């Protein structure tokens, strides 16, 4: 089970934190690390802080964007100590393990951690199905990046180290779509809304954000995606025929 969970660190500024996060992961049995535009990597400091978890650093996947890092993931979870406008579903680390246990069809799972100074951006959080908030002292809620990784990894190990979640027989059409496929659906909606004149320039950003949130929360399956995209194609075809008949 733990091999289906990917820890992704976005725009890290201190290489020591990357190494410490790798060590925290290995202690708890996690092995998949992703890095999005790290400021310095590879780094001797990261290697030193990783101690005997250098194998995790060596196999880390480096991406240029969050979209690239989570393209094949079916469950995306952001972490942040701050509340935001338009938040995703807010859960605790323990609730996260329950969600993963109850949805074995939603692998791989991506856990996103933001840059040390400011955490994940609102745009990055809008890509997430859930928003994990570690219940800390409200008067001093700041956690070191590696400590946050360690706490969530600990909860995952408690839930999954002694047993594995039994696989459920789910047809291919009912498997949730990947983030890459969801991006394709969003682009298709954008194309149709522009074609019909629905999107106005002053509303474009908010509509895109809300459509992203709406479809992320819907947990769209393969068959549902096929219905949506078939409908969107029919809208475009109808518009083109209507224009040609004028």
């Amino acid at each position: 089970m733990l091999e289906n969970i990917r820890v992704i660190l976005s725009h890290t500024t201190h290489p020591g934190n990357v190494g410490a996060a790798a060590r925290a992961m290995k202690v708890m049995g996690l092995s998949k690390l992703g890095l999005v535009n790290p400021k310095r990597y590879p780094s001797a400091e990261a290697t030193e802080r990783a101690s005997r978890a250098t194998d995790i650093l060596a196999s880390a996947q480096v991406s240029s964007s969050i979209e690239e890092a989570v393209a094949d993931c079916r469950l995306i979870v952001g972490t942040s100590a701050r509340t935001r406008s338009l938040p995703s579903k807010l859960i605790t680390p323990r609730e996260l393990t329950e969600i993963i246990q109850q949805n074995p069809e939603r692998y791989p799972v991506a856990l996103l951690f933001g840059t040390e100074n400011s955490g994940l951006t609102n745009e990055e959080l809008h890509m997430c199905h859930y928003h994990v908030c570690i219940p800390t002292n409200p008067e001093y809620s700041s956690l070191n990046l590696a400590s946050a990784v360690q706490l969530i990894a600990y909860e995952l190990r408690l839930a999954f180290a002694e047993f594995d979640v039994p696989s459920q027989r789910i047809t291919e059409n009912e498997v949730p779509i990947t983030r890459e496929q969801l991006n394709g659906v969003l682009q298709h909606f954008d194309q149709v809304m522009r074609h019909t004149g629905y999107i106005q320039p002053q509303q474009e950003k908010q509509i895109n954000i809300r459509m992203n949130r709406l479809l992320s929360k819907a947990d769209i399956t393969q068959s549902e995606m096929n219905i949506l995209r078939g409908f969107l194609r029919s809208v475009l075809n109808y518009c083109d025929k209507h224009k040609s008949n004028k």
Side-chain angles (χ1 to χ4, degrees):
M1 170 57 233
L2 293 176
E3 68 274 10
N4 291 310
I5 298 174
R6 189 179 308 165
V7 173
I8 299 175
L9 310 181
S10 177
H11 295 81
T12 49
T13 57
H14 304 293
N17 285 331
V18 176
R23 182 175 182 176
M25 290 171 57
K26 187 161 186 175
V27 166
M28 295 301 161
L30 296 174
S31 60
K32 302 291 175 62
L33 175 64
L35 303 173
V36 177
N37 282 331
K39 188 173 183 179
R40 283 190 288 153
Y41 185 82
S43 162
E45 185 179 352
T47 301
E48 182 180 356
R49 291 286 300 279
S51 187
R52 287 182 291 173
T54 52
D55 55 323
I56 292 181
L57 291 182
S59 61
Q61 295 184 348
V62 180
S63 306
S64 59
S65 67
I66 287 286
E67 289 84 355
E68 179 185 347
V70 303
D72 63 335
C73 294
R74 291 189 167 90
L75 180 61
I76 305 169
V77 181
T79 60
S80 176
R82 296 186 292 136
T83 57
R84 316 292 182 100
S85 60
L86 296 176
S88 303
K89 300 172 188 174
L90 195 62
I91 58 174
T92 65
R94 196 153 297 177
E95 289 172 327
L96 169 64
T97 65
E98 295 171 359
I99 289 168
I100 295 174
Q101 285 176 328
Q102 294 164 7
N103 297 276
E105 75 279 8
R106 299 189 64 178
Y107 304 150
V109 177
L111 302 179
L112 308 186
F113 295 81
T115 186
E116 295 92 332
N117 292 330
S118 55
L120 292 170
T121 65
N122 286 334
E123 288 73 20
E124 289 170 334
L125 281 172
H126 290 327
M127 297 180 63
C128 301
H129 297 100
Y130 294 94
H131 174 180
V132 171
C133 188
I134 298 172
T136 55
N137 178 0
E139 296 180 3
Y140 188 67
S141 60
S142 177
L143 273 174
N144 172 269
L145 174 60
S147 296
V149 172
Q150 184 82 78
L151 285 168
I152 294 179
Y154 170 74
E155 289 291 341
L156 291 168
R157 183 158 187 82
L158 281 183
F160 301 115
E162 296 182 2
F163 61 91
D164 205 0
V165 178
S167 298
Q168 298 180 11
R169 295 183 63 84
I170 299 172
T171 63
E172 183 178 349
N173 282 341
E174 296 309 316
V175 172
I177 61 176
T178 66
R179 180 66 210 190
E180 185 174 32
Q181 291 172 313
L182 179 57
N183 286 342
V185 176
L186 288 167
Q187 290 167 8
H188 205 162
F189 265 103
D190 183 78
Q191 179 188 8
V192 171
M193 288 189 291
R194 292 180 188 279
H195 194 74
T196 60
Y198 178 78
I199 288 184
Q200 301 299 318
Q202 67 273 19
Q203 300 172 328
E204 180 176 347
K205 183 176 180 180
Q206 281 300 312
I207 288 177
N208 288 338
I209 289 173
R210 292 176 186 275
M211 284 296 297
N212 188 2
R213 292 188 66 247
L214 171 65
L215 296 182
S216 292
K217 289 191 295 185
D219 293 339
I220 299 169
T221 64
Q222 298 282 343
S223 60
E224 291 166 344
M225 177 188 71
N226 293 337
I227 292 171
L228 282 175
R229 300 203 70 164
F231 168 70
L232 292 171
R233 283 192 295 270
S234 72
V235 171
L236 289 174
N237 290 337
Y238 179 84
C239 291
D240 290 341
K241 288 179 181 178
H242 184 68
K243 287 180 180 179
S244 63
N245 291 333
K246 285 186 175 181

